[in-house]
Amino acid sequence: VQMLAIAPNKETECRETIKKICDSFAVSPIARDILETASHLNGGAGNGGIELAKAHAKHTTTDDPYFLQPMDGVDGTGYRASWWTQFYCILWRSWLSVLKDPMLVKVRLLQTAMVASLIGSIYFGQVLDQDGVMNINGSLFLFLTNMTFQNVFAVINVFSAELPVFLREKRSRLYRVDTYFLGKTIAELPLFIAVPFVFTSITYPMIGLKAGVSHYLTTLFIVTLVANVSTSFGYLISCASSSISMALSVGPPVVIPFLI
């Protein structure tokens, strides 16, 4: 697309480049094969060619103009690849998109560390008396609110932004809905495990919650579950919203009742 685009202030140069590309294609073996096939179908064999063209058109017609026809040896669903191949390609593409923005990962981890340090400083060194129990109760609620809002708003714009591309590729029968969702979710899973780990590892000892590896791991497991459920809830809001602005507006009123 970039090679065939006409850049501002370079119209003449771009048109010359485009002409060279088109001329090179016109004399290529692929172009000759296409021309021979078209001539054969459109009347290269007289009436037989016309009948063949009609039969070909009838064979390739479907009720949905977005569907691609299945190739030989592919099932009647019209998909060009198996479930595992679709899943692998979506997973690889989603993972590449995560790797292309390392600054976002660093910012999220730094933000989590800063918030965790702030909460740990406010509730530092609680003891098990009446005031300490109430303070610990408040700190645990902040565990929930931080993991919920941070993860909901981290993904709330994902599907709204990618919806046009997804719909086009889905209608072209490139992949199923489940392979797309699983691929995107699993590609982002390491980050949604790392964030609860950083948050819990900082706040747990600072607040002075119950000592012991098993208690820490239990807390980490629950916080990780909360983070991932919140992520899925953010996906739900994103899918149900027609635009990013609507998703951002709908998010908080829907999330708060669950927190309460």
Side-chain angles (χ1 to χ4, degrees), residues 112-127 135-136 139 143 198-211 216:
T112 302
M114 292 175 63
V115 173
S117 300
L118 178 62
I119 294 175
S121 301
I122 295 173
Y123 292 97
F124 185 79
Q126 297 298 317
V127 294
N135 290 336
I136 290 173
S139 67
F143 271 55
V198 171
F199 183 83
T200 307
S201 299
I202 294 175
T203 53
Y204 197 93
M206 289 184 70
I207 296 173
L209 298 177
K210 193 170 184 178
Y216 164 76

Side-chain angles (χ1 to χ4, degrees), residues 16-51:
E16 290 177 357
T17 303
I18 294 171
K19 188 174 185 305
K20 290 178 182 178
I21 294 173
C22 294
D23 291 343
S24 299
F25 174 77
V27 297
S28 66
I30 297 176
R32 286 198 296 270
D33 291 342
I34 294 173
L35 184 60
E36 290 175 5
T37 304
S39 300
H40 178 67
L41 290 175
N42 290 329
N47 292 332
I50 296 174
E51 293 301 323

Side-chain angles (χ1 to χ4, degrees), residues 180-192:
Y180 173 76
F181 179 77
L182 288 174
K184 279 196 66 63
T185 304
I186 294 175
E188 297 174 351
L189 190 61
L191 179 61
F192 295 124

Side-chain angles (χ1 to χ4, degrees), residues 4-257:
L4 296 175
I6 298 178
N9 302 322
K10 295 182 180 179
E11 287 84 356
T12 304
E13 181 182 344
C14 291
R15 292 186 188 280
E16 290 177 357
T17 303
I18 294 171
K19 188 174 185 305
K20 290 178 182 178
I21 294 173
C22 294
D23 291 343
S24 299
F25 174 77
V27 297
S28 66
I30 297 176
R32 286 198 296 270
D33 291 342
I34 294 173
L35 184 60
E36 290 175 5
T37 304
S39 300
H40 178 67
L41 290 175
N42 290 329
N47 292 332
I50 296 174
E51 293 301 323
L52 182 61
K54 289 181 179 178
H56 178 74
K58 181 179 180 181
H59 175 71
T60 57
T61 300
T62 64
D63 294 334
D64 193 333
Y66 294 106
F67 281 14
L68 294 175
Q69 294 306 306
M71 296 185 296
D72 293 337
V74 181
D75 59 15
T77 60
Y79 291 109
R80 303 305 182 98
S82 65
W83 191 95
W84 285 107
T85 303
Q86 296 174 30
F87 172 72
Y88 172 77
C89 292
I90 293 294
L91 179 63
W92 179 245
R93 185 175 74 173
S94 301
W95 179 245
L96 287 179
S97 67
V98 173
L99 294 180
K100 284 179 180 177
D101 200 358
M103 184 56 65
L104 179 62
V105 177
K106 295 176 182 177
V107 167
R108 285 206 62 193
L109 292 176
L110 179 62
Q111 171 193 354
T112 302
M114 292 175 63
V115 173
S117 300
L118 178 62
I119 294 175
S121 301
I122 295 173
Y123 292 97
F124 185 79
Q126 297 298 317
V127 294
L128 284 177
D129 55 16
Q130 183 64 36
D131 292 337
V133 169
M134 295 182 65
N135 290 336
I136 290 173
N137 189 34
S139 67
L140 293 179
F141 184 73
L142 284 178
F143 271 55
L144 294 178
T145 56
N146 185 67
M147 286 295 101
T148 300
F149 282 103
Q150 181 178 354
N151 289 287
V152 165
F153 287 99
V155 300
I156 204 168
N157 64 335
V158 170
F159 287 114
S160 298
E162 295 186 5
L163 191 60
V165 175
F166 166 74
L167 289 176
R168 184 179 71 241
E169 293 178 342
K170 175 67 175 65
R171 288 165 179 163
S172 296
R173 312 295 281 177
L174 295 181
Y175 48 73
R176 297 169 172 82
V177 177
D178 53 349
T179 55
Y180 173 76
F181 179 77
L182 288 174
K184 279 196 66 63
T185 304
I186 294 175
E188 297 174 351
L189 190 61
L191 179 61
F192 295 124
I193 293 177
V195 167
F197 174 76
V198 171
F199 183 83
T200 307
S201 299
I202 294 175
T203 53
Y204 197 93
M206 289 184 70
I207 296 173
L209 298 177
K210 193 170 184 178
V213 176
S214 61
H215 302 301
Y216 164 76
L217 292 178
T218 302
T219 306
L220 178 60
F221 178 68
I222 294 173
V223 172
T224 303
L225 283 181
V226 171
N228 283 274
V229 168
S230 303
T231 301
S232 298
F233 201 70
Y235 284 146
L236 172 64
I237 296 172
S238 181
C239 290
S241 304
S242 58
S243 63
I244 295 176
S245 58
M246 180 179 291
L248 293 173
S249 301
V250 170
V254 175
V255 170
I256 288 175

